[in-house]
Amino acid sequence: MFFWLTLCRAAMAAPDSDSVAVEVEVRAPDETVQMTTAAVTVVAVDDRVPPSSDLSTLVSRTAGTSVRRLGGVGAWTTLSIRGSSARQVDVFIDGVPLNPDGLITVNLAELPLRTFERVEIYRGFTPVWLGSSAIGGAINLVSAERPKGQAALSAGSLTTSRASASGALDLGNGLAWMSVEALGTRGDFSFFDDRGTAFNTGDDVWLQRANNDRRQGSVHASYQSGPWRVLTAASFREEGIPGVQYGPYSGVRWSTARDLTVGSWQHQAGAWSHRASVWGLLRQEYLSDPLGEVALVATGDRSRMTAAGAIYTTSFAASPRVVWSQAVHLGIAGWQQDLQASNDPSQQRLSASTTGGLTLRDPGEFFQVSPVVKVGRIADRRGREPMNAVSPRISVLWAFSRTWALSGNAGLYLRPPDLLELYGNQGVFVGNSVLSAERGRQGDVGVRGVGSKHELSVVAFANDVFDQIVWLQNAQGLARPSNLAHARTLGTELASAWRPGSFDLRFTGTRNWAVQIVDDTADLPIPGVPEWELHTDVRWQRKNLTLGHRVDYTFGSYLDAQGFFGTPPRTVHAVSAALTDGALCLQFELLNALNQIVESTDRDPLVDDGVQVDRAVTDFFGYPLPGRTVLLPLRYQP
Amino acid sequence: MSLLLTLLIGCTPPDHSPPEADCDAQAPLIALATTDFTVGALAAYDLTAGCLSDQIATTSGDPALVADADRLFLLNRQGGDVIRELNPSDLTVPLWEVALADLVNPHDLIVVDDELWVTQYDQAELVRLDGVTGAEVGALDLSEYADADGIPEMDGLIRHQDRGILALQRFDQGLDWEPTPGGLLVIELSDAQVMVDLDIGLSPRVFERPSTPGSIAVLTGTYGQADGGLWFMDVDSGTLESQITEEEAGVDFGHYAEINGVGVLTATHFDAQISQASAWCFSDGNLTLATEQAVWFTDVVAGPDYAWLSVRRGWDGVGAEWGLQAIAVSSCSLHGPLIPTTLEPYSLAFFP
């Protein structure tokens, strides 16, 4: 242990020390950087990804994204892309939606990162084959075609343990592959509690988070034979809901089970390529609230979401300069609730969409333009008129040198309300069946370049959302969605990488100007979208030793929609080390190394008296974040 | 590179700082607790100058104001569990602030000599605090007056001379908050003994009747049901007299205030999906409609000349305006324009 701590101190003290950094490449799959029109970041999930990383931490360090956590390793997280709401981001596994039209927000923490080969984060414009018109963007988790076998064990603070293993087996006529992962943590970290009395510091106490434990497991398995492939991705998660620190829950438990099964076929013949998939998605959630702490009444709410669909994508390269792509998505989603009190416990939705696009290049392939249009129709079983939607968008790219390119995207986007928003009756969430769809328009323009030892991307973007669906609380704490806000986010994103010698230096920065425009009169902030978000990753590698240092800096975020409670600048350090000996790799990671769990803020943000008091560091009101956390993973990769 | 840096840092972010107050409200005033149910803010309307001080200080998302014995208190209720004594001449910084136990949900208080008696909606004890420091000095166990769940759901508490009149709403939290018949307790303040225990209708709320000493008003009935009415109670004799029922009125009663012998009642439509609120004047057994709007009247208090309504948007939150509205009881009509507030008002208190 002393050895590792010594390494860490050295890493923190020495400005030229190295780190285990997240691999960030401004490169889309199967395309060169010069010919990618989308604003996309592709992160390889390899041994350079810190062992503690889950999908949310990986994504949070990319440009244009903001992640908010309820606290602790594996805790529930939401993702915002360019100031979007979490529901305005589509999440896919190998191009198959995890939150298709009608279903709800995906919890990024429940997805086993190590199962995937890479993560593609599309900001705004998404490629035709995803068939998405999400206002914020999309995340596509990509499984490896020839996965490597590996096993890992990890133990750390707060009784946190993680185990994972994956392996592939060549069966002669096909390749079978399986990956399993399990995580458990007690999550009982210490936090600062001011007891909600900013004017009375005499009653401040330190407490331990309770009912914050969680266990989750996942199994991903696939079998591929020639053009055919079957994939199943299942996960289970059970956790305590600790509640806000001023009114903690002692008995609220939440469990989720999900399975996505996909069968696909792909074929390439000359200028044509085809891919067809059928998929089924089952998600079951159970909220146990025996003491009525959440919904005021004792409940045991079970909801089941089932969805199935088919996807057909094709492309035809008429010439190197003209490529036509088409994606057709058909889906049916159902939602059923077993409630103690519900007046409309089940709903079904049919959806169909087709997305078509052309890619046109000039003879020299310096200039490229890609018009895309998505046409869709959604019909609920009862209660609402069917809705038709057209979402056109266009992207252009000018590769003005071998290493530099300019790109731009613009489009109109649309999100129909999901079934929870329309018909929900889940704990404190009550639906509103007369909601309108969210409509958005967005555009970006950027420049990027790549060389042998450096990469750089800078993008400026604008994002407008009308009829934004906002959950409003009433006096009893029940929340009901309404079309209220006009949300506008302007911003810039910067991502860079430089690899001098044994060093690997990465930097991403995002600046947002995110506001809600209510009744065309008042500009209110969008909670959880920081004005500044900067991330640095420094990695140094020599022979079998790798040292790393990460810094996450955020500034200017608000916890509430009124803009009362702003968070002060927050700098969180993490250090790591890895020692490799053949197939074995022993790692060490120290999260929140400086144990930043208390921050000084204005005693009352509406009172200009200059008095500051301590409050717990949070992303959400009343949900403190954990302090220094140590993890020790051991990995075997033959 | 300079272009890139300019893109990244060159613009000025929008200013989210609160608007400047347009006056420094002084007593006599109407104090307002405004909220979006996540965060809240204090505001005050100066009745002499006729101006509003808005967003004076933050509150929790579920605030309530109580004025008693020339003192003004803020109760951060569900999920807050904090009591502040406010300084009426400077509402920015409280005189003191104290946290109760988690999840007790304070609903009301009265000043009893050098103590504060605080009702706790989710506990069976009426807690007694030191009136100067807020420190707990005792408690009155009322569990014997509870329904099956052991909690009597104590709500409003009114002081009349040496007695306190306490409303017990008695929802059975073990049965999905099933309403059971509520009660009224008359408590001798000198020795904290319950003198009278009255059964009354569902979900009672108690209100002062400054025009009629020795009498209080009681509203009963659950939300969205024609199951309650308005009662007047003679405190000395402990007798109740029905004035009008919700069924007779055709609306669901909410709150009551009284000025110059005229009661002002807020009400809602029986169908909870219809956001239609009304305010009525009640005099000599007759109801007169003062206003009906697609809003939600969350409170009403009596000032020296007018009754004052807290006006919020309804469930869907679209279209309606919100703020503070005066009602002239002499003509039983709205008086003056709606006084807009930044956040929607929720609880009111008149401080003389």
Side-chain angles (χ1 to χ4, degrees), chain A residues 586-633:
Chain A
L586 180 60
Q587 296 173 302
F588 165 83
E589 190 170 23
L590 183 64
L591 305 175
N592 196 357
L594 301 184
N595 200 36
Q596 186 176 349
I597 51 178
V598 172
E599 54 196 14
S600 291
T601 63
D602 291 337
R603 180 168 62 175
D604 187 324
L606 294 180
V607 178
D608 187 20
D609 60 2
V611 179
Q612 298 229 316
V613 294
D614 288 341
R615 286 194 171 91
V617 172
T618 63
D619 281 346
F620 291 92
F621 262 126
Y623 281 84
L625 295 174
R628 187 179 295 123
T629 306
V630 177
L631 294 170
L632 284 170

Side-chain angles (χ1 to χ4, degrees), chain A residues 195 197-200 246 296-297 458 473-475 480 482 492 511 513 515 525 531-532 558 562 604 606-607, chain B residues 4 7-9 11 13-14 16 18 36-39 57-58 78 92 97 100 102 176-177 273 315-316 343 346:
Chain A
R195 307 203 66 202
T197 55
F199 293 90
N200 178 5
Y246 307 127
L296 299 182
V297 296
V458 179
Q473 279 186 287
N474 71 3
R480 191 182 194 218
S482 288
T492 50
R511 190 166 189 198
W513 299 272
V515 293
E531 204 172 295
W532 282 98
Y558 287 92
Q562 303 300 327
D604 187 324
L606 294 180
V607 178
Chain B
L4 304 182
L7 278 172
L8 196 62
I9 65 175
C11 301
H16 297 305
D36 67 359
F37 297 124
T38 301
V39 293
T58 58
Q78 190 173 35
T92 58
E97 180 181 41
L100 304 178
D102 286 341
D176 292 358
W177 288 75
Q273 297 298 316
W315 244 130
D316 290 327
L343 279 174
Y346 185 57

Side-chain angles (χ1 to χ4, degrees), chain A residues 508-525:
Chain A
T508 60
T510 305
R511 190 166 189 198
N512 293 300
W513 299 272
V515 293
Q516 296 179 66
I517 302 167
V518 181
D519 297 334
D520 296 325
T521 54
D523 287 353
L524 298 172

Side-chain angles (χ1 to χ4, degrees), chain A residues 324-371:
Chain A
W324 168 70
S325 303
Q326 189 78 34
V328 178
H329 284 240
L330 300 173
I332 179 170
W335 188 29
Q336 184 173 3
Q337 292 178 279
D338 298 333
L339 296 171
Q340 293 186 354
S342 174
N343 52 9
D344 198 359
S346 66
Q347 281 293 336
Q348 279 110 40
R349 168 175 289 183
L350 290 169
S351 63
S353 69
T354 179
T355 308
L358 269 176
T359 300
L360 305 170
R361 299 185 180 113
D362 73 319
E365 298 194 9
F366 293 114
F367 188 77
Q368 173 177 311
V369 59
S370 301

Side-chain angles (χ1 to χ4, degrees), chain B residues 146-166:
Chain B
D147 51 293
D149 65 8
I151 300 172
E153 282 84 21
M154 59 185 92
D155 183 50
L157 179 60
I158 289 175
R159 179 169 186 178
H160 172 66
Q161 297 177 348
D162 55 355
R163 294 173 185 174
I165 301 93
L166 171 62

